[in-house]
Amino acid sequence: MAPNPYDNCPCGSGKKFKFCCQQYFPQIELALEQQQKGQHEAAVKTMKGVTDAHPDYPPAWGYYAQVLYNEGKPDEAEAALDKAFELNPQFGMGLLLRGLFRQNEGEMIGALLLFRKAEEAFDVQATDQLAHVNELIARNELMLNRPVASRAALERAVNSSPGDADLKEQYDALFGPHSRLPFCARKKYSFRATLRPLPAGADTGKLSGARKAYEQLTTDAPNDPAGWFNLGLVRAWLGEQPAALEALSKSIELEMDDSRAEEAAALAEVLKCGQGMENDSDYVEHRVFMPVRDPEAVVGLLQVMGQGGQLVAAQTDESGQVFSAIVVEELPSLLETGTRLARVVANMSIAGGVLRLWHPVKESVEKVGLEIRDRVNLAVGEPVTGIGPANFGDVTIEAIAYPVRAAEIESAQTKLKENARHFFEDVWTHRPLRALGGSAPIDAAGSKLLRKKLLGVIRFLEDCMAGSAPRRQVGDKIEAIDIYEFSQLRHKLGVEVKEGAGPGEAGAVPKLDFPAMSAADLAGLSLEQLTVPDLADAMRAALKLDARELAVAFAKTGAARPFDPALPDRYPFYFALITGANASGDPAAALVFAREGAAYDAEHNGGKRATEFAVRTGELLAKTGDAEGGEKVFNDLIERTPDEPKYYVTATEAMLRAKAGAKALSFAEKGIAKARSMGNRDLEGACLELAEAARKQMK
């Protein structure tokens, strides 16, 4: 049915139908009707007549291209579009059609570029066409793991067609309050107020106009963080990830407000998870593919894995053609509490004759792939590896464990929380991150610039955790289990975000909760008020934060305290003092600590640490030039523990460092003899190499 003469023309030109395609639209409708009835040659002939009669009208060539493509003549369709573009290089309908052609051929990136060009080319009055093309853009951007660009496009589609209930429902499902996307990936970002107004004529109704305006603004006012943030945001909406990151990085560098820096840095982390940004992101998906040669053997293995508790959430789709499951590995537990946890080591799917595994940790997924290959032998082909953008749900997967057996809910939740706390506070804080220029979070917290980026990194992790945490049934609802409070991590690193507060201003800390304390908290403790066990806990907390001077201070205070039956073993204190003195280039002081520690241990701890102190004393005597004294200590040690292999190696290495080749050779030969009597090939090999080094030193 032809449009009303004064409606916008369906070709997307922005003109009224009466003044655009009305004159030949009956022939277009006829051609489409003929095509539906199977009158293919007639349909092509009809459209050929339209282009012959109106060769100077791009829409005529566009409709002709559409009919030709539907008839399975892609080359002729492309030629028709070439004619249209000769007449109008910015022909929106033609760009949309060519994008659809590319998409049908599986060229997602090429299609997306054409859809964006079409969106720019369509007149702002062509609301139906803009709604259609923006929906296509949103779909492709989401498939490329670019939710910020996807939301912007889908929002524009909804605004162009506000009466389309399906579009609104789609928008709410993807980006509404019940979405599983991280909040920082689905939130409605908005421009910030800038120091200068936008240049005149910036409001064109097109994102490209806003981008151009903010590019000009940041040139005119390069020190305005809001201008750079807005430029980064509009580039993100346009799917221009690298350029957006460049602008956001400049905004973070200039920003003085914690909350704004956090928002920009979290947005940057979202963008790095998009397709093509793998080299910039700390989170990627490592993939393993194996062709299935013997389906029966593979099914048999899956059954065995399922019975052995290695697979959870196994399911097959309605067609029976796609199998999926989560591969888990039970976490070891020293205490049997009735509750056992497992961690995800790979996600698995089998479809189209290919077994696919993926996980954010390369070693984990590759190990699972090799195990499957080895267990079914030739039933699968050799694993092929690859990488891609990480799913947001997998970003915090290392911190999440799943109860495979639970005696009671409270016990399971306690274990889940402890597992997450250990990962974030003891493992992640020491992991070098690309987002922090290769620094670990614990080191970045002390840098003015990196601290601001760290705020966003933590916010990103918190939002990802909220979307991927284990769920439980509560009445008629499914609720996420709260397994980690990220304020603990912020506090421990000293990077809380407070309005009007400067870096390092900490809130209240639970009394003597040392693992939750930041370095600033630990430094503020009164040493005199701490008990000996408290000093030991504080020292360990400081070592985890890499605050070595603090750790030595706690150790020195603890070692000097009178005997306390609550902690008779003072070796950890003395070891920290020995290590600290050595690191400071004062082995003589370290030797004093070793001797004092040995004396204390003999008097108050039954000499339980005599062996450890003897090793330190022997090494330090050799290091301070008393090779003979070191030799005596090591000889006494070996005489007491003749079957301990490592002491032969330790003694030899200490003598080599002291340039006492003859003494080193003596210990090495003792080690060789002991190794041969015990059949210990590893010890024999090590001592043979050390003996050769000693002989060279003696020459």
Side-chain angles (χ1 to χ4, degrees), residues 431-452:
R431 180 176 289 177
L433 299 177
R434 290 174 176 173
L436 304 176
S439 296
I442 198 166
D443 299 318
S447 163
K448 183 177 180 181
L449 173 60
L450 295 181
R451 177 187 173 279
K452 292 186 285 187

Side-chain angles (χ1 to χ4, degrees), residues 48-129:
K48 180 65 168 59
V50 173
T51 56
D52 287 344
H54 306 279
D56 296 331
Y57 284 79
W61 291 102
Y63 287 116
Y64 187 27
Q66 183 178 354
V67 169
L68 288 169
Y69 193 84
N70 291 343
E71 291 299 325
K73 299 179 178 181
D75 292 340
E76 294 180 41
E78 292 285 358
L81 286 181
D82 287 340
K83 291 283 189 181
F85 289 129
E86 288 176 8
L87 297 168
N88 179 8
Q90 299 302 313
F91 177 41
M93 177 186 178
L95 291 165
L96 172 58
L97 284 171
R98 186 158 276 175
L100 291 169
F101 296 169
R102 297 292 83 78
Q103 184 156 282
N104 290 339
E105 296 162 3
E107 295 183 23
M108 186 189 302
I109 301 296
L112 179 58
L113 291 174
L114 287 162
F115 292 152
R116 286 207 172 276
K117 288 182 179 180
E119 202 274 344
E120 287 291 323
F122 280 128
D123 189 271
V124 292
Q125 300 299 322
T127 53
D128 289 345
Q129 291 76 14

Side-chain angles (χ1 to χ4, degrees), residues 396 424 458 461-462 465 484-491:
T396 57
F424 285 118
I458 295 175
L461 290 178
E462 184 172 10
M465 175 68 90
Y484 186 66
E485 178 53 63
F486 279 85
S487 61
Q488 297 175 16
L489 179 59
R490 293 185 179 92
H491 184 78

Side-chain angles (χ1 to χ4, degrees), residues 530-540 543 550-562 564 567-581 593-594 597 600 609 613:
L530 297 178
T531 65
V532 173
D534 286 342
L535 288 164
D537 289 340
M539 179 189 72
R540 283 190 286 268
L543 288 171
L550 269 177
V552 169
F554 290 127
K556 187 173 292 185
T557 304
R561 290 284 178 85
D564 186 340
L567 189 68
D569 185 4
R570 299 281 174 91
Y571 177 75
F573 288 141
Y574 284 105
F575 180 73
L577 293 172
I578 292 166
T579 304
F593 289 133
Y600 180 94
R609 294 284 195 166
F613 280 116

